[in-house]
C-alpha cells in the first residue's frame, strides 16, 4: 500500500484548482495541505523552487516523489491512468488539448489573471489597497476577448479540445471558476461556454471547489448553483 | 509514406529553438518555414490562434495534423518515439523535467526574456528605439538570479533533470542560446552550466542553431565555438 498523496494548494489559485479537478477525475484519494504562497514561512519553498502551488507529494513503490507544478501533476496522473484520461487518444484532439493548456497557463494567466485576479484577489490578500478602476476595466476587457475566442470552440465541440473531456477543460475551469467566484463572468453573453461550464460543474470532481470560500468575499450568487 | 513535417519557426524565438532541438534529437526530417510573428501578414495566424511559433504541421496516416505551441510538439515527438526520448523513464526525473520546462516557459520567459530579449531583440526588430539602460540592468539581474539557481542543478547532475538528457535541457538551451548569441551569458561565472551547455552544443541537433544570424548583430565571438 502506498502512503496517500498530499496536495499543497491554494483554493483560489487556478492551477491548484486544475490539479484538484484532475485528481478528482482520476479518483485519486489525497490529503490536502492548504498553503499561502505569499507568506514568508510557506512550506512550499522547501518543496518547489518556484515557491508556488500546486505540489503533489506521493509515494510510489516505496519511493517519495514530489510533483511540482501542474505540468508534472497532470503528466503523472495521465501516466498512472495508463493514458487517455486527461489527453484524448485522437491525435488532433491531443494536440489541441496541449495547445489550450499552454494558452491558459501562459496567455490567459498573463493577460487576465495577472490583471483581474491581482486586483480582486491578491490586493486584499496582501493588503495592497483597493482595486484600481483602470486595471479592472483592462482585465475585464481582456477576459471578454478571451471568452470570445473560447465561445466558438465550446459551441462547435462537445468539450474544449474536441469530443472528449481533456486536461484543457480542467485547466480552463481552474481559471474560469476563480473568476466566476468573484462574479466576473457574464455567462448570459456566452451561451455555449455556459453549457460547457455547467456540464463540468455537475461532475463529482467539481464539488469540492464549490465549497471554497474567500475571506471577506461572498461568491457570486450562482457560483455553487448547478442550474445557473 | 507521410508528407514531410514543416516547422514554422522564428530562429531567435526560444521555444522555436527548443522545437528544432527536439526534432533534431528525434532525427525527424522536416522542412522549415521561417516566420516573422510581429508582421500583420504572418501565415501563423491561420494556423495558431496565438499567432506564435512554433507550429509543426505533419501528416500521419493520411491525416493532416497541426501541432501548435512547443507543448504539443514535444508531446507528439515523445509519443512518436514511443516515450523515453524527451522524458526520462525515472519518475522523479520525469517530474523534474516537467517542472523545469514549466519554469522556463513561464518564469524565465516573464522575468528574463520579456525584459532582456525585448530590449536586445524585439526593439530593433520592431524599430522601437534603442535599449533602455535601466531595463537592461533589470533583465541582466534577473538572468543572473536564474543562472544561480541553475548552476547547482548542472553541477550535481549529468543533465538538468537528472542522469538523462530530457526536454528540460532542450527548452533551457532554447532560451539560453538566444541570450548567448547576444553575449548576455558570462559563462566563466557558471562553470557547471558551461560544461552542460558545451555538451549540448556538441550534439548534432544543435548544429543548425549555430548558423543562425540576427540582422545587424554579430553573434558573441564564442557563440558557434564548440570549445568556448
Amino acid at each position: 500500500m502506498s502512503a496517500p498523496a498530499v496536495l499543497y494548494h491554494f483554493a483560489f489559485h487556478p492551477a491548484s484548482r486544475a490539479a484538484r479537478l484532475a485528481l478528482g477525475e482520476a479518483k485519486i484519494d489525497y490529503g490536502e495541505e492548504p498553503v499561502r504562497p505569499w507568506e514568508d514561512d510557506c512550506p512550499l519553498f522547501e518543496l518547489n523552487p518556484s515557491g508556488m502551488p500546486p505540489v503533489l507529494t506521493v509515494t510510489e513503490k516505496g519511493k517519495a516523489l514530489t510533483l511540482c507544478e501542474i505540468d508534472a501533476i497532470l503528466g503523472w496522473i495521465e501516466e498512472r491512468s495508463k493514458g487517455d484520461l486527461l489527453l484524448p487518444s485522437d491525435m488532433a484532439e491531443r494536440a489541441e488539448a496541449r495547445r489550450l493548456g499552454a494558452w491558459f497557463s501562459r496567455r490567459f494567466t498573463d493577460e487576465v489573471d495577472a490583471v483581474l485576479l491581482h486586483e480582486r484577489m491578491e490586493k486584499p490578500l496582501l493588503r495592497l489597497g483597493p482595486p484600481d478602476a483602470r486595471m479592472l476595466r483592462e482585465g475585464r476587457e481582456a477576459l471578454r476577448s478571451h471568452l470570445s475566442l473560447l465561445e466558438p470552440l465550446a459551441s462547435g465541440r462537445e468539450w474544449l479540445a474536441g469530443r472528449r473531456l481533456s486536461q484543457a477543460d480542467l485547466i480552463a475551469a481552474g481559471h474560469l471558476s476563480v473568476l466566476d467566484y468573484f462574479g466576473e463572468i457574464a455567462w448570459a453573453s456566452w451561451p455555449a461556454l455556459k453549457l460547457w461550464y455547467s456540464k463540468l460543474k455537475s461532475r463529482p470532481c467539481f464539488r469540492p471547489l464549490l465549497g471554497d470560500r474567500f475571506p471577506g468575499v461572498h461568491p457570486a450568487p450562482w457560483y455553487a448553483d448547478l442550474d445557473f
Side-chain angles (χ1 to χ4, degrees), chain A:
Chain A
M1 257 302 278
S2 331
V6 175
L7 182 70
Y8 294 76
H9 74 102
F10 173 60
F12 290 86
H13 177 244
S16 292
R17 290 197 152 205
R20 288 160 77 198
L21 293 173
L23 288 163
E25 279 297 317
K27 301 189 174 55
I28 294 171
D29 275 328
Y30 64 99
E32 292 184 52
E33 197 68 64
V35 290
R36 298 166 65 85
W38 60 92
E39 291 183 347
D40 287 341
D41 60 351
C42 176
L44 271 190
F45 287 101
E46 305 279 312
L47 292 171
N48 186 0
S50 78
M52 286 297 289
V55 171
L56 184 72
T57 58
V58 297
T59 310
E60 277 214 334
K61 300 175 189 155
K63 259 180 97 173
L65 203 57
T66 303
L67 304 154
C68 296
E69 310 294 338
I70 186 66
D71 314 65
I73 296 173
L74 295 177
W76 176 78
I77 292 174
E78 180 68 358
E79 285 151 13
R80 189 177 177 283
S81 315
K82 314 283 176 239
D84 259 38
L85 181 83
L86 302 176
L87 288 169
S89 54
D90 178 85
M91 295 287 274
E93 292 193 14
R94 212 170 169 81
E96 183 67 346
R98 286 178 167 134
R99 176 187 80 78
L100 284 164
W103 177 283
F104 274 93
S105 301
R106 298 203 281 270
R107 191 169 275 226
F108 193 94
T109 299
D110 289 349
E111 293 175 3
V112 182
D113 297 349
V115 185
L116 204 43
L117 290 184
H118 176 70
E119 297 296 328
R120 299 289 321 262
M121 185 169 80
E122 289 174 11
K123 277 189 163 179
L125 285 174
L126 302 170
R127 298 170 201 275
L128 298 175
D132 178 298
R134 199 177 52 84
M135 295 305 281
L136 283 178
R137 258 200 314 278
E138 202 178 285
R140 285 170 180 156
E141 186 52 46
L143 172 60
R144 267 192 300 275
S145 124
H146 277 270
L147 295 176
S148 74
L149 286 168
L150 291 169
E151 176 72 8
L153 290 190
S155 132
R157 302 169 176 175
E158 192 76 16
W159 297 99
L160 286 189
R163 288 156 300 173
R164 280 274 314 280
L165 176 95
S166 75
Q167 61 191 41
D169 300 289
L170 308 181
I171 294 170
H175 291 262
L176 296 181
S177 63
V178 177
L179 291 158
D180 189 43
Y181 183 97
F182 289 97
E184 291 291 349
I185 304 187
W187 290 110
S189 306
W190 317 105
L193 269 180
K194 183 181 170 180
L195 186 63
W196 161 82
Y197 191 65
S198 74
K199 277 192 301 187
L200 212 45
K201 211 164 145 177
S202 307
R203 294 175 83 89
C205 72
F206 222 97
R207 219 168 292 144
L209 278 63
L210 301 178
D212 292 333
R213 288 299 175 270
F214 189 87
V217 182
H218 286 294
W222 57 85
Y223 173 71
D225 188 352
L226 295 185
D227 224 13
F228 62 113

